[in-house]
Amino acid sequence: MAEKWRIAARRLLSRRILLSHGGGGKETQEIIEYLIRGLVPKEYWRVGDGTGLDLLDDASYIPVDGRNRIAVTVDSYTVDPIIFPGGDIGVLAASGTINDLLVGGARPVAALDAIIVEEGLETETLAYVLNSLINTLVENKVALIGGDFKVVPKGNIDKIAITMTGIGFVMKELRDDAIKPGDKLIVSGPVGSHGAAILSARGTYGLKLDIKSDVKPLTPLMLPLLEKYGDDLRAAGDPTRGGVAMLLNEWARKNGLVIYIDEAEIPVEEEVRAYADVIGVDPLALASEGVAVLAVSPEKAEEILSFIHELGYRDARIIGEARKPKSEKHRGIVIAKTPVGGFRIVEVPSGEIVPRIC
Amino acid sequence: MAEKWRIAARRLLSRRILLSHGGGGKETQEIIEYLIRGLVPKEYWRVGDGTGLDLLDDASYIPVDGRNRIAVTVDSYTVDPIIFPGGDIGVLAASGTINDLLVGGARPVAALDAIIVEEGLETETLAYVLNSLINTLVENKVALIGGDFKVVPKGNIDKIAITMTGIGFVMKELRDDAIKPGDKLIVSGPVGSHGAAILSARGTYGLKLDIKSDVKPLTPLMLPLLEKYGDDLRAAGDPTRGGVAMLLNEWARKNGLVIYIDEAEIPVEEEVRAYADVIGVDPLALASEGVAVLAVSPEKAEEILSFIHELGYRDARIIGEARKPKSEKHRGIVIAKTPVGGFRIVEVPSGEIVPRIC
C-alpha cells in the first residue's frame, strides 16, 4: 500500500508544482485540500472551539480562556518588484497582516517578521523596506515583538521574502460562514488597483501606465466599524490574491448561498479599468491591498454605508447581496449583472493568475 | 539631514548584505540592533507587560488578560538539502517551532505554516515534507490552524522555504534574563549533530561521514520538567544557529554574568567530534535541533538531572554554572575549561558560520 503522502500527491494530477498552484485560485484550493487538510486529522484543524483549517479564514481564532480569544494570521510576501508605485514590500507586508486581523474582527496588537534575504542585496534597500514595514506597524499601534532573519546564497531567493505573523485580540468574531440570505455587500473603495499597479510596473503585457497600488491598513475603517456596528457586521474580507471574484466565490461556497452583484456599482479606478481592458483581465480578479468587502445586516446597510462615507471612504458602495439559491445549481456561485444589463457567472479565478503579486 | 533608515544602513558598514549577516552570530546581532530595534520606538517592542524586542528570546510573551499569557515564535527554514540524514525540512520546521515554545516555558498548542515553493518542485517531494511536518505537529498534539502557500518562478527561490509560527500557553515563563549566580547548566544530550549532519550531507569540506541530525521535538523532556520543576527552572534554550557557544554567550550577556563550562563534560557524538576536528570547527558552534540547555537552581540541579535521566535522556550532564563576574572584563563572557586543563574564552560565533543549516 502506498504511503498517505504519495496518494495525496497523486490526487494533484500534476507531477510538478506549477505557478498556478500558488495563485490563490482553484489550484491553490487543491493543494490545501489534498496536501494540507487531507494529511491533518480533523481534531487537529483547530484548538478547542477555535477555528483553523475548518474555515480557512483570513485569520484563525484560538480560545485562551472562557472569555478571551486571540486571532492569528500568517502570510508570505514575495512581491516583484519590491518597490512599486504606491508602496513597497514592507508596507505591503505590514498592511496585509493588519488587514487580515481587522477583517477577522480583531484589534491587531503584535506582529513578528521572518525575513529571508538574498546575499548581495543593498543594505540601504533592506533598511528602506524594513523602515516602511516598521512605520506602518507603529502608525497602527502594532508592536513588533520578534522575528527571524536569514541570508541565503545568491540565486537561492530573489532579493527578499517577508513572512509576517499577526496577533490580535478578538472584538467581534467575523467568520466567513456567518452570512445570511438578504445580507448586503459593501465594498469600501475602488478594487483591483494593487494587482494592476504591480503588473503595470513590471510591464508584463508590454504596457506601463501610471497606476498606484492601493496598499494601506484598514484600521481607520474597521476599528470604528467594529466598535459601533459589531453586531450588524456578519463577515468581512480583503480581496487580495484572486480579487473580489475569489473572495465572493469563497463566501458563496462557505455559506451555501448565491451572491448577486451589480457590476456597475463596483468602483474601479479609471486607469485600472483601462489597463484591465487592454490586457484582457477581469478587474474583479485583480488584487486589492487596501479594500474591505463587508457583509452586513440588510436593515442597517444604508446606515453603515453612510457611516463608512463619514469615515472618509467616499467611494464605498453597496454592490450586491447574498440570497438563498433558487436551485442546487445556483448554490455557491456568484452572479453579476453586467453594465449592459445581462448576467454572467463570476468564476473562481484560475490558472492565468500571475505570480508574485503580493 | 539623511533619513533614519539611511543612517541605520550606514551603521552596518557593509554596503551589501552578506551571508554572515544571517549566521545567527555577531553580524546578525548588528542587523537586529540597527535595522530592527533601532527603527522601532521602544514602546512598540512588546505588548503591555509582555516581552519582545527587549529580550529577543526564543519566544515572545503576550499578556491576554490578568491571568493568561501566550507565547509566540516565528522561524524560517531554508535548510539545504531539504531531505537529509535523520530528517527533512518538514520535521525540522515543526520541531524547531515546538522547541522554541517549550524552552520558553509554554505548552505548544497551535502552528501555522507559510510555504514558498519554486515552480517545478516535484509534487511528491512537497507532499513528503508536508507529511513530515504535519506528523511531527500531530504527534506532539499541536494543531495546524492556518498558513499560506505561494509558488514563485524557477530561480526565484531554491526548492522550498517554510516559515513556521507557533503559539503556546505559558506554563512557567522561562526568560533568558532570569539566570542567577550559582545556577547550574544542564545539557540534555550530545550537541552539534544537526549542523555536522547538514555539512557532511553537502560534502562541503570534501568529506561525507554517516552523521544523523538530532532533529526532534523536546516535548517528552520539557513538559514533564515544567510540570514537576517549573519553580526551579530559571531559563532554557535550544542551541540552534551558532550552537551552544552562541546560546551561552547570549545568556552571559543578558544576565551580566560569566558562564563557566567544563568542555570534558559536554556530550558530543564521536563522529560529530571527528568531523568537527577535520573541518576545523568548534563543535560548540554547530547547531543542534533536538537538545535543550537548562539553567537550574543549584540546590535542585542533581535531582533535576536524575529526573532527566529517568525521562530517557541518558546523556544529559551538568556542564557548568553561571557566576558573578570577578571583574568588568569577565562580565558577559563564556569561559571553558579545556579537556587538557587550560582555559579558553568561547567566542560568539561569527563570519564563518555556513548558511542554510536550518
Side-chain angles (χ1 to χ4, degrees):
Chain A
M1 207 183 79
E3 289 124 304
K4 207 172 161 194
W5 57 270
R6 216 184 279 275
I7 297 168
R10 282 180 196 153
R11 296 185 67 185
L12 269 181
L13 299 180
S14 158
R15 277 194 51 238
R16 290 177 183 274
I17 300 300
L18 311 172
L19 286 174
S20 58
H21 285 121
K26 267 182 193 159
E27 296 86 340
T28 305
Q29 284 178 347
E30 282 189 7
I31 294 268
I32 291 167
E33 203 48 51
Y34 303 152
L35 301 195
I36 308 271
R37 297 218 297 188
L39 294 174
V40 182
K42 274 201 175 177
E43 63 265 40
Y44 288 100
W45 283 13
R46 56 188 197 166
V47 177
D49 66 348
T51 62
L53 298 188
D54 49 339
L55 259 193
L56 293 171
D57 223 321
D58 298 292
S60 300
Y61 303 117
I62 301 177
V64 177
D65 60 20
R67 290 167 304 138
N68 297 285
R69 291 163 87 84
I70 60 163
V72 189
T73 183
V74 168
D75 266 310
S76 290
Y77 297 87
T78 59
V79 65
D80 169 35
I82 59 174
I83 299 173
F84 49 81
D88 60 73
I89 192 172
V91 63
L92 176 68
S95 301
T97 304
I98 288 168
N99 291 347
D100 277 346
L101 294 170
L102 288 168
V103 298
R107 179 167 64 85
V109 295
L112 299 92
D113 58 353
I115 298 164
I116 306 174
V117 172
E118 183 181 25
E119 176 190 18
L121 183 74
E122 302 82 4
T123 308
E124 285 208 346
T125 304
L126 179 63
Y128 179 85
V129 300
L130 287 180
N131 191 53
S132 291
L133 185 152
I134 288 165
N135 285 348
T136 307
L137 291 178
V138 167
E139 283 161 13
N140 290 275
K141 301 192 193 308
V142 177
L144 181 65
I145 63 168
D148 187 26
F149 185 82
K150 290 209 161 68
V151 183
V152 295
K154 230 178 159 47
N156 285 203
I157 200 169
D158 184 29
K159 295 188 190 73
I160 186 168
I162 301 180
T163 300
M164 290 290 287
T165 300
I167 314 269
F169 293 152
V170 177
M171 296 170 70
K172 154 82 194 273
E173 237 167 80
L174 295 179
R175 296 168 52 132
D176 277 358
D177 63 354
I179 300 172
K180 301 199 177 92
D183 282 356
K184 298 288 182 188
L185 304 174
I186 296 176
V187 65
S188 69
V191 305
S193 302
H194 178 74
I198 297 297
L199 290 178
S200 162
R202 277 189 220 156
T204 308
Y205 296 90
L207 177 70
K208 287 203 184 201
L209 293 181
D210 183 29
I211 302 173
K212 272 210 177 90
S213 166
D214 62 326
V215 60
K216 62 178 176 295
L218 291 163
T219 318
L221 170 71
M222 290 303 299
L223 284 189
L225 260 182
L226 282 163
E227 257 166 43
K228 186 152 182 186
Y229 291 103
D231 289 343
D232 301 294
L233 294 179
R234 309 264 210 238
D238 57 337
T240 56
R241 270 189 299 180
V244 170
M246 187 67 211
L247 178 67
L248 294 183
N249 267 286
E250 276 183 12
W251 281 4
R253 182 176 53 81
K254 286 178 181 174
N255 293 280
L257 299 172
V258 54
I259 286 179
Y260 281 91
I261 54 173
D262 184 347
E263 272 197 74
E265 290 300 315
I266 300 177
V268 181
E269 300 271 11
E270 221 169 288
E271 320 85 80
V272 173
R273 194 182 296 281
Y275 184 74
D277 269 0
V278 171
I279 66 172
V281 167
D282 183 356
L284 299 190
L286 286 173
S288 304
E289 291 287 348
V291 170
V293 181
L294 308 164
V296 305
S297 68
E299 301 78 26
K300 290 287 182 70
E302 289 294 343
E303 185 182 329
I304 291 174
L305 182 65
S306 302
F307 182 69
I308 293 173
H309 286 156
E310 281 164 33
L311 291 173
Y313 294 79
R314 297 261 147 228
D315 295 319
R317 305 266 184 86
I318 295 175
I319 60 164
E321 62 183 37
R323 293 187 200 160
K324 201 172 278 181
K326 276 183 227 159
S327 68
E328 264 315 300
K329 79 176 200 303
H330 283 82
R331 184 184 299 280
I333 66 170
V334 179
I335 296 174
K337 186 176 152 199
T338 64
V340 293
F343 290 92
R344 69 172 176 112
I345 290 176
V346 181
E347 304 273 3
V348 175
S350 71
E352 78 278 5
I353 310 169
V354 277
R356 301 192 61 186
I357 282 292
C358 57
Chain B
M1 208 184 77
E3 290 125 302
K4 207 174 161 194
W5 57 268
R6 216 183 279 276
I7 297 167
R10 283 180 193 150
R11 296 185 68 187
L12 269 184
L13 300 178
S14 157
R15 278 192 52 239
R16 288 178 183 274
I17 301 299
L18 313 172
L19 285 175
S20 58
H21 285 120
K26 266 181 192 157
E27 295 87 341
T28 304
Q29 285 178 347
E30 282 188 8
I31 295 268
I32 291 168
E33 203 49 49
Y34 303 151
L35 300 195
I36 308 270
R37 298 217 298 188
L39 295 173
V40 182
K42 274 201 177 179
E43 64 266 39
Y44 288 100
W45 285 13
R46 54 187 199 167
V47 177
D49 67 349
T51 63
L53 298 187
D54 50 337
L55 260 193
L56 293 171
D57 224 321
D58 298 291
S60 300
Y61 303 116
I62 301 178
V64 177
D65 60 17
R67 291 166 304 139
N68 297 287
R69 291 164 87 84
I70 59 162
V72 189
T73 184
V74 168
D75 266 309
S76 290
Y77 297 87
T78 59
V79 66
D80 170 35
I82 60 174
I83 298 173
F84 50 80
D88 60 74
I89 192 171
V91 63
L92 177 68
S95 301
T97 304
I98 289 169
N99 291 346
D100 277 347
L101 293 170
L102 288 168
V103 298
R107 179 169 64 85
V109 294
L112 299 91
D113 57 353
I115 297 164
I116 306 174
V117 171
E118 183 181 27
E119 176 190 15
L121 183 74
E122 301 82 5
T123 307
E124 286 209 345
T125 304
L126 178 64
Y128 178 85
V129 300
L130 287 179
N131 190 52
S132 290
L133 186 153
I134 288 165
N135 285 348
T136 307
L137 290 178
V138 167
E139 282 161 14
N140 290 274
K141 300 189 195 310
V142 176
L144 182 66
I145 63 168
D148 187 26
F149 185 82
K150 290 210 161 64
V151 182
V152 294
K154 230 177 157 52
N156 285 204
I157 199 169
D158 183 29
K159 295 188 189 74
I160 185 169
I162 302 180
T163 300
M164 289 291 288
T165 300
I167 314 267
F169 293 154
V170 177
M171 296 171 70
K172 154 81 193 277
E173 239 170 74
L174 294 178
R175 297 169 51 133
D176 277 359
D177 63 353
I179 299 172
K180 301 200 178 90
D183 282 355
K184 298 290 182 188
L185 304 174
I186 296 176
V187 65
S188 70
V191 304
S193 302
H194 178 74
I198 297 297
L199 290 177
S200 162
R202 277 190 220 154
T204 309
Y205 295 91
L207 178 68
K208 287 204 185 200
L209 292 181
D210 182 30
I211 301 173
K212 272 210 177 90
S213 165
D214 62 326
V215 60
K216 63 178 174 295
L218 291 163
T219 317
L221 171 71
M222 290 303 298
L223 284 189
L225 261 181
L226 283 163
E227 258 167 42
K228 183 149 184 189
Y229 291 103
D231 290 343
D232 301 293
L233 293 181
R234 309 266 210 236
D238 57 336
T240 56
R241 268 190 300 180
V244 170
M246 188 66 209
L247 177 67
L248 295 183
N249 267 286
E250 276 183 9
W251 280 5
R253 182 175 54 81
K254 285 178 180 174
N255 293 279
L257 298 172
V258 55
I259 285 178
Y260 282 90
I261 55 173
D262 185 346
E263 273 197 72
E265 289 300 316
I266 300 177
V268 182
E269 302 270 9
E270 220 168 291
E271 320 85 82
V272 173
R273 194 182 295 282
Y275 184 74
D277 269 0
V278 171
I279 67 172
V281 167
D282 183 356
L284 299 190
L286 285 173
S288 305
E289 291 287 349
V291 170
V293 181
L294 309 164
V296 304
S297 68
E299 300 77 26
K300 290 286 179 73
E302 289 293 345
E303 186 182 328
I304 291 174
L305 182 65
S306 301
F307 183 68
I308 293 173
H309 286 157
E310 280 164 33
L311 291 173
Y313 294 79
R314 297 261 147 228
D315 295 319
R317 304 269 183 85
I318 295 176
I319 60 164
E321 64 184 35
R323 293 185 198 162
K324 201 170 278 181
K326 276 183 222 155
S327 68
E328 264 316 301
K329 77 174 202 306
H330 282 81
R331 184 184 301 278
I333 65 169
V334 179
I335 297 174
K337 187 176 153 196
T338 64
V340 292
F343 289 91
R344 68 171 178 112
I345 291 177
V346 180
E347 305 274 3
V348 175
S350 71
E352 79 279 1
I353 310 169
V354 276
R356 303 193 59 186
I357 282 292
C358 58

